Amino acid sequence: MIKCNVTVCGTISKAAVVRTNNENKAFTAFAVNCVIPARNGINKTVEISVAKDGEEYNRADYTVGKRVEISGVLTFKKRGDNLYFNMSASSVNLTVASNEDSIKGEMHFRGKTGKNIEEKTDKKGKNFLQFSAFSAEKVNDGFEYLWVRFLGFDREREEWLQPQTGIEAKGELELSVYNDKLNIACKVSEMSEYVKQPYNPNN
């Protein structure tokens, strides 16, 4: 599970339309392009599919090319080599002053660590942790795995933090591009071992 409470600044790439969900409730759908800066290589533009509960009566203002700021919950869906961004919006601001694209906010992650937990020291002599962990989603007869790189500054390694261990973490979301590959990272503020509860049909 990966959920991010974020604010997105970008440009509308698909005009707003009104649709209905499985419960026949109306929602407004549109898409936003956001440029992710590259640490190496060329910047990458991602398209975020946005849904906002209810019918936006000013959706004529949601024109392609208009700058917009959206707050809400961002989730990711991986299918093969493709990564899709989906956002459930709580608020939309169509009078944005900033011309700079950004995706800023906090990630809530639940998954399993990879094979390596690295304990490092920065240039100032402070300890930090670096490791990757994945979240798995069941798709048809298999699974899709989405990896996140974690950085824990001023943090000692706890005994439970081992390879192939369940983890629950919160922290600052960081998206970047390196050699045309999108990287998802998290600067950890909270972290604990996650033990999956056995399925109980009575709950």
Side-chain angles (χ1 to χ4, degrees):
M1 184 233 30
I2 303 175
K3 288 184 178 180
C4 305
N5 289 306
V6 299
T7 297
V8 172
C9 284
T11 304
I12 293 176
S13 58
K14 290 180 183 173
V17 295
V18 175
R19 295 176 179 156
T20 54
N21 60 19
N22 295 336
E23 298 171 347
N24 213 31
K25 292 182 179 178
F27 67 94
T28 301
F30 59 101
V32 172
N33 278 351
C34 186
V35 176
I36 308 297
R39 293 181 176 175
N40 180 282
I42 302 170
N43 293 348
K44 199 176 191 71
T45 300
V46 298
E47 185 174 75
I48 303 169
S49 297
V50 183
K52 187 175 188 297
D53 288 345
E55 181 175 348
E56 289 288 310
Y57 292 100
N58 64 334
R59 65 181 181 276
D61 295 335
Y62 288 66
T63 53
V64 173
K66 187 174 181 64
R67 297 289 298 168
V68 66
E69 182 182 85
I70 315 156
S71 295
V73 177
L74 176 70
T75 56
F76 306 97
K77 184 169 74 174
K78 189 172 182 291
R79 295 294 182 268
D81 293 333
N82 297 319
L83 182 63
Y84 299 96
F85 290 65
N86 297 307
M87 189 168 181
S88 176
S90 55
S91 68
V92 178
N93 179 7
L94 294 164
T95 56
V96 183
S98 173
N99 286 321
E100 185 177 338
D101 286 5
S102 62
I103 301 176
K104 296 179 180 178
E106 183 183 72
M107 173 188 290
H108 183 189
F109 175 94
R110 194 179 289 154
K112 186 175 283 189
T113 57
K115 294 180 180 179
N116 297 311
I117 313 290
E118 297 181 275
E119 298 175 80
K120 295 189 172 185
T121 305
D122 65 16
K123 294 177 181 178
K124 296 181 179 179
K126 292 186 177 181
N127 295 331
F128 70 94
L129 298 173
Q130 182 175 299
F131 62 92
S132 292
F134 65 87
S135 174
E137 179 190 1
K138 186 167 177 55
V139 180
N140 299 324
D141 294 330
F143 287 89
E144 292 282 0
Y145 301 94
L146 184 57
W147 286 87
V148 174
R149 189 167 66 96
F150 288 89
L151 294 166
F153 294 100
D154 290 329
R155 185 176 288 273
E156 299 291 336
R157 180 174 175 178
E158 297 179 63
E159 184 65 34
W160 64 266
L161 186 57
Q162 301 293 333
Q164 308 292 308
T165 298
I167 181 175
E168 185 159 6
K170 291 182 180 179
E172 181 185 346
L173 169 69
E174 281 196 342
L175 295 170
S176 61
V177 178
Y178 191 84
N179 288 343
D180 200 42
K181 181 179 171 62
L182 181 69
N183 295 305
I184 304 173
C186 177
K187 285 184 178 178
V188 177
S189 59
E190 299 177 34
M191 184 168 61
S192 60
E193 184 176 8
Y194 174 68
V195 180
K196 191 174 182 178
Q197 298 299 313
Y199 175 67
N200 184 349
N202 296 322
N203 284 346

